[in-house]
Short mmCIF file of all heavy atoms in Angstrom, two decimals:
data_model
loop_
_atom_site.label_atom_id
_atom_site.label_comp_id
_atom_site.label_asym_id
_atom_site.label_seq_id
_atom_site.Cartn_x
_atom_site.Cartn_y
_atom_site.Cartn_z
N PRO A 1097 40.97 58.67 66.08
CA PRO A 1097 42.21 59.41 65.76
C PRO A 1097 43.44 58.59 66.12
O PRO A 1097 43.48 57.93 67.17
CB PRO A 1097 42.10 60.67 66.62
CG PRO A 1097 40.63 60.85 66.84
CD PRO A 1097 40.06 59.45 66.93
N PHE A 1098 44.42 58.64 65.25
CA PHE A 1098 45.61 57.82 65.43
C PHE A 1098 46.83 58.56 64.88
O PHE A 1098 46.81 59.08 63.77
CB PHE A 1098 45.45 56.48 64.68
CG PHE A 1098 46.63 55.56 64.80
CD1 PHE A 1098 46.92 54.92 65.99
CD2 PHE A 1098 47.45 55.32 63.70
CE1 PHE A 1098 48.01 54.06 66.09
CE2 PHE A 1098 48.54 54.46 63.79
CZ PHE A 1098 48.82 53.83 65.00
N ARG A 1099 47.87 58.63 65.70
CA ARG A 1099 49.13 59.21 65.25
C ARG A 1099 50.16 58.08 65.12
O ARG A 1099 50.36 57.31 66.06
CB ARG A 1099 49.65 60.25 66.22
CG ARG A 1099 51.07 60.72 65.87
CD ARG A 1099 51.64 61.69 66.88
NE ARG A 1099 51.20 63.05 66.59
CZ ARG A 1099 51.73 64.14 67.17
NH1 ARG A 1099 52.69 64.01 68.05
NH2 ARG A 1099 51.28 65.32 66.87
N ILE A 1100 50.77 58.01 63.96
CA ILE A 1100 51.81 57.00 63.73
C ILE A 1100 53.09 57.46 64.41
O ILE A 1100 53.64 58.51 64.07
CB ILE A 1100 52.04 56.78 62.23
CG1 ILE A 1100 50.76 56.23 61.56
CG2 ILE A 1100 53.20 55.81 62.00
CD1 ILE A 1100 50.84 56.18 60.04
N LEU A 1101 53.55 56.68 65.37
CA LEU A 1101 54.84 56.91 66.03
C LEU A 1101 55.69 55.69 65.73
O LEU A 1101 55.57 54.65 66.38
CB LEU A 1101 54.64 57.09 67.54
CG LEU A 1101 53.80 58.30 67.96
CD1 LEU A 1101 53.50 58.25 69.44
CD2 LEU A 1101 54.51 59.60 67.59
N SER A 1102 56.53 55.81 64.73
CA SER A 1102 57.22 54.65 64.17
C SER A 1102 58.72 54.86 64.15
O SER A 1102 59.22 55.99 64.20
CB SER A 1102 56.69 54.41 62.74
OG SER A 1102 57.35 53.32 62.12
N ARG A 1120 60.39 44.48 71.10
CA ARG A 1120 59.95 44.81 72.46
C ARG A 1120 60.51 46.17 72.89
O ARG A 1120 59.80 47.00 73.48
CB ARG A 1120 60.41 43.72 73.43
CG ARG A 1120 60.00 43.97 74.89
CD ARG A 1120 60.52 42.87 75.80
NE ARG A 1120 61.96 42.91 75.91
CZ ARG A 1120 62.63 43.63 76.81
NH1 ARG A 1120 61.97 44.38 77.70
NH2 ARG A 1120 63.95 43.60 76.87
N LYS A 1121 61.76 46.43 72.56
CA LYS A 1121 62.37 47.70 72.94
C LYS A 1121 61.76 48.87 72.17
O LYS A 1121 61.73 50.00 72.67
CB LYS A 1121 63.88 47.63 72.73
CG LYS A 1121 64.56 46.70 73.75
CD LYS A 1121 66.01 46.43 73.42
CE LYS A 1121 66.65 45.51 74.47
NZ LYS A 1121 68.02 45.08 74.09
N ALA A 1122 61.28 48.62 70.97
CA ALA A 1122 60.57 49.66 70.24
C ALA A 1122 59.28 50.04 70.97
O ALA A 1122 58.96 51.23 71.15
CB ALA A 1122 60.25 49.19 68.82
N ARG A 1123 58.52 49.05 71.41
CA ARG A 1123 57.29 49.33 72.15
C ARG A 1123 57.58 50.05 73.46
O ARG A 1123 56.89 51.01 73.82
CB ARG A 1123 56.55 48.02 72.43
CG ARG A 1123 55.27 48.21 73.25
CD ARG A 1123 54.59 46.90 73.56
NE ARG A 1123 55.41 45.99 74.33
CZ ARG A 1123 55.59 46.07 75.66
NH1 ARG A 1123 55.01 47.04 76.35
NH2 ARG A 1123 56.33 45.18 76.28
N LEU A 1124 58.64 49.63 74.16
CA LEU A 1124 58.95 50.24 75.44
C LEU A 1124 59.40 51.69 75.29
O LEU A 1124 59.29 52.47 76.24
CB LEU A 1124 60.03 49.43 76.17
CG LEU A 1124 59.62 48.04 76.63
CD1 LEU A 1124 60.78 47.33 77.32
CD2 LEU A 1124 58.41 48.12 77.56
N MET A 1125 59.89 52.08 74.14
CA MET A 1125 60.27 53.48 73.94
C MET A 1125 59.06 54.36 73.65
O MET A 1125 59.17 55.58 73.61
CB MET A 1125 61.30 53.60 72.81
CG MET A 1125 62.09 54.89 72.88
SD MET A 1125 63.35 55.05 71.60
CE MET A 1125 62.34 55.51 70.20
N GLY A 1126 57.91 53.73 73.40
CA GLY A 1126 56.71 54.50 73.14
C GLY A 1126 56.23 54.43 71.70
O GLY A 1126 55.28 55.13 71.33
N LEU A 1127 56.86 53.60 70.87
CA LEU A 1127 56.44 53.48 69.49
C LEU A 1127 55.20 52.60 69.38
O LEU A 1127 55.04 51.65 70.15
CB LEU A 1127 57.56 52.89 68.63
CG LEU A 1127 58.89 53.66 68.62
CD1 LEU A 1127 59.88 53.00 67.64
CD2 LEU A 1127 58.68 55.12 68.25
N ASN A 1128 54.35 52.91 68.42
CA ASN A 1128 53.22 52.04 68.13
C ASN A 1128 53.35 51.34 66.78
O ASN A 1128 52.50 50.55 66.39
CB ASN A 1128 51.88 52.81 68.21
CG ASN A 1128 51.84 54.02 67.28
OD1 ASN A 1128 52.45 54.03 66.21
ND2 ASN A 1128 51.12 55.07 67.70
N THR A 1129 54.44 51.63 66.07
CA THR A 1129 54.64 51.13 64.71
C THR A 1129 56.13 50.95 64.46
O THR A 1129 56.95 51.68 65.04
CB THR A 1129 54.06 52.12 63.68
OG1 THR A 1129 52.69 52.38 64.00
CG2 THR A 1129 54.14 51.59 62.25
N GLU A 1164 53.74 41.93 69.68
CA GLU A 1164 54.22 42.99 70.56
C GLU A 1164 53.27 44.18 70.57
O GLU A 1164 53.52 45.17 71.26
CB GLU A 1164 55.62 43.42 70.09
CG GLU A 1164 56.45 44.13 71.13
CD GLU A 1164 56.74 43.28 72.37
OE1 GLU A 1164 57.22 42.14 72.22
OE2 GLU A 1164 56.48 43.77 73.48
N GLY A 1165 52.19 44.10 69.80
CA GLY A 1165 51.23 45.19 69.74
C GLY A 1165 51.65 46.33 68.83
O GLY A 1165 51.16 47.46 68.96
N LEU A 1166 52.54 46.04 67.89
CA LEU A 1166 53.06 47.07 66.98
C LEU A 1166 52.43 46.93 65.60
O LEU A 1166 52.24 45.83 65.09
CB LEU A 1166 54.58 46.94 66.86
CG LEU A 1166 55.40 47.23 68.12
CD1 LEU A 1166 56.83 46.76 67.94
CD2 LEU A 1166 55.36 48.72 68.45
N HIS A 1167 52.14 48.07 64.98
CA HIS A 1167 51.77 48.12 63.58
C HIS A 1167 53.04 48.16 62.74
O HIS A 1167 54.16 48.34 63.27
CB HIS A 1167 50.90 49.34 63.29
CG HIS A 1167 49.67 49.43 64.15
ND1 HIS A 1167 48.61 48.59 64.00
CD2 HIS A 1167 49.37 50.25 65.20
CE1 HIS A 1167 47.68 48.89 64.89
NE2 HIS A 1167 48.12 49.89 65.64
N LEU A 1341 56.90 66.65 66.41
CA LEU A 1341 55.66 66.16 67.02
C LEU A 1341 54.74 67.30 67.44
O LEU A 1341 53.51 67.15 67.45
CB LEU A 1341 55.99 65.27 68.22
CG LEU A 1341 56.72 63.96 67.89
CD1 LEU A 1341 56.98 63.15 69.15
CD2 LEU A 1341 55.93 63.13 66.88
N PHE A 1349 60.95 57.67 62.46
CA PHE A 1349 62.32 58.14 62.45
C PHE A 1349 63.25 57.04 61.97
O PHE A 1349 63.04 55.86 62.19
CB PHE A 1349 62.78 58.77 63.75
CG PHE A 1349 62.50 58.01 64.99
CD1 PHE A 1349 63.35 57.00 65.40
CD2 PHE A 1349 61.42 58.32 65.79
CE1 PHE A 1349 63.12 56.30 66.56
CE2 PHE A 1349 61.18 57.62 66.96
CZ PHE A 1349 62.02 56.61 67.34
N TYR A 1393 67.85 56.95 73.11
CA TYR A 1393 66.66 56.17 73.44
C TYR A 1393 65.88 56.85 74.57
O TYR A 1393 64.67 57.07 74.48
CB TYR A 1393 67.08 54.76 73.86
CG TYR A 1393 65.95 53.78 74.15
CD1 TYR A 1393 65.53 52.88 73.18
CD2 TYR A 1393 65.33 53.74 75.40
CE1 TYR A 1393 64.51 51.96 73.44
CE2 TYR A 1393 64.32 52.84 75.67
CZ TYR A 1393 63.91 51.95 74.68
OH TYR A 1393 62.90 51.05 74.95
N PHE A 1396 64.50 60.33 73.47
CA PHE A 1396 63.34 60.22 72.58
C PHE A 1396 62.10 59.76 73.36
O PHE A 1396 60.99 60.22 73.10
CB PHE A 1396 63.64 59.24 71.45
CG PHE A 1396 64.41 59.85 70.30
CD1 PHE A 1396 65.19 60.98 70.48
CD2 PHE A 1396 64.36 59.28 69.04
CE1 PHE A 1396 65.91 61.54 69.43
CE2 PHE A 1396 65.07 59.83 67.98
CZ PHE A 1396 65.86 60.96 68.18
N ARG A 1397 62.30 58.84 74.28
CA ARG A 1397 61.15 58.36 75.06
C ARG A 1397 60.55 59.51 75.87
O ARG A 1397 59.32 59.62 75.98
CB ARG A 1397 61.55 57.20 75.97
CG ARG A 1397 60.35 56.59 76.67
CD ARG A 1397 60.60 55.20 77.17
NE ARG A 1397 61.32 55.19 78.44
CZ ARG A 1397 61.30 54.15 79.28
NH1 ARG A 1397 60.62 53.06 78.97
NH2 ARG A 1397 61.97 54.19 80.40
N ASP A 1398 61.41 60.37 76.41
CA ASP A 1398 60.91 61.52 77.17
C ASP A 1398 60.11 62.46 76.27
O ASP A 1398 59.08 63.02 76.68
CB ASP A 1398 62.07 62.28 77.81
CG ASP A 1398 62.72 61.50 78.94
OD1 ASP A 1398 62.10 60.52 79.43
OD2 ASP A 1398 63.85 61.84 79.33
N VAL A 1399 60.56 62.65 75.03
CA VAL A 1399 59.82 63.52 74.11
C VAL A 1399 58.49 62.88 73.72
O VAL A 1399 57.44 63.54 73.73
CB VAL A 1399 60.67 63.80 72.85
CG1 VAL A 1399 59.83 64.50 71.77
CG2 VAL A 1399 61.88 64.65 73.19
N ILE A 1400 58.52 61.59 73.39
CA ILE A 1400 57.30 60.90 72.99
C ILE A 1400 56.26 60.96 74.11
O ILE A 1400 55.05 61.11 73.86
CB ILE A 1400 57.61 59.45 72.58
CG1 ILE A 1400 58.43 59.43 71.28
CG2 ILE A 1400 56.33 58.64 72.40
CD1 ILE A 1400 59.00 58.08 70.94
N ALA A 1401 56.71 60.88 75.36
CA ALA A 1401 55.80 60.89 76.50
C ALA A 1401 55.02 62.19 76.61
O ALA A 1401 53.96 62.23 77.27
CB ALA A 1401 56.58 60.63 77.78
N LYS A 1402 55.49 63.26 75.99
CA LYS A 1402 54.76 64.52 75.99
C LYS A 1402 53.54 64.47 75.09
O LYS A 1402 52.62 65.30 75.22
CB LYS A 1402 55.68 65.67 75.55
CG LYS A 1402 56.84 65.94 76.49
CD LYS A 1402 57.83 66.92 75.88
CE LYS A 1402 57.21 68.26 75.54
NZ LYS A 1402 58.22 69.22 75.03
N TYR A 1403 53.52 63.51 74.17
CA TYR A 1403 52.47 63.50 73.14
C TYR A 1403 51.65 62.21 73.13
O TYR A 1403 50.60 62.17 72.48
CB TYR A 1403 53.12 63.69 71.76
CG TYR A 1403 53.87 64.98 71.64
CD1 TYR A 1403 55.24 65.05 71.91
CD2 TYR A 1403 53.21 66.16 71.27
CE1 TYR A 1403 55.93 66.25 71.80
CE2 TYR A 1403 53.90 67.35 71.17
CZ TYR A 1403 55.26 67.40 71.44
OH TYR A 1403 55.95 68.59 71.33
N ALA A 1404 52.12 61.17 73.79
CA ALA A 1404 51.41 59.89 73.74
C ALA A 1404 51.79 59.06 74.97
O ALA A 1404 52.84 59.28 75.58
CB ALA A 1404 51.78 59.13 72.47
N PRO A 1405 50.95 58.10 75.34
CA PRO A 1405 51.30 57.23 76.47
C PRO A 1405 52.56 56.41 76.17
O PRO A 1405 52.75 55.93 75.06
CB PRO A 1405 50.08 56.32 76.60
CG PRO A 1405 48.97 57.02 75.89
CD PRO A 1405 49.62 57.80 74.78
N VAL A 1406 53.39 56.28 77.17
CA VAL A 1406 54.62 55.49 77.07
C VAL A 1406 54.59 54.43 78.16
O VAL A 1406 54.21 54.74 79.31
CB VAL A 1406 55.86 56.40 77.21
CG1 VAL A 1406 57.13 55.57 77.35
CG2 VAL A 1406 55.98 57.33 76.01
N PRO A 1407 54.96 53.19 77.87
CA PRO A 1407 54.95 52.16 78.91
C PRO A 1407 55.76 52.60 80.13
O PRO A 1407 56.77 53.31 80.02
CB PRO A 1407 55.59 50.96 78.22
CG PRO A 1407 55.26 51.15 76.77
CD PRO A 1407 55.34 52.64 76.55
N SER A 1408 55.32 52.16 81.29
CA SER A 1408 55.98 52.56 82.54
C SER A 1408 57.20 51.72 82.87
O SER A 1408 57.90 52.00 83.85
CB SER A 1408 54.98 52.46 83.69
OG SER A 1408 54.48 51.13 83.81
N ASP A 1409 57.48 50.71 82.05
CA ASP A 1409 58.64 49.86 82.29
C ASP A 1409 59.92 50.70 82.30
O ASP A 1409 60.03 51.69 81.57
CB ASP A 1409 58.76 48.79 81.20
CG ASP A 1409 57.48 47.99 81.03
OD1 ASP A 1409 56.44 48.62 80.76
OD2 ASP A 1409 57.53 46.76 81.14
#
Side-chain angles (χ1 to χ4, degrees):
F1098 179 71
R1099 171 184 276 192
I1100 297 172
L1101 297 171
S1102 178
R1120 180 181 68 88
K1121 290 170 179 173
R1123 178 182 61 80
L1124 292 179
M1125 201 178 78
L1127 302 184
N1128 56 32
T1129 306
E1164 201 61 52
L1166 294 167
H1167 304 289
L1341 294 181
F1349 49 83
Y1393 184 98
F1396 278 23
R1397 186 160 81 158
D1398 290 344
V1399 170
I1400 292 169
K1402 295 170 59 176
Y1403 300 93
V1406 170
S1408 59
D1409 307 58

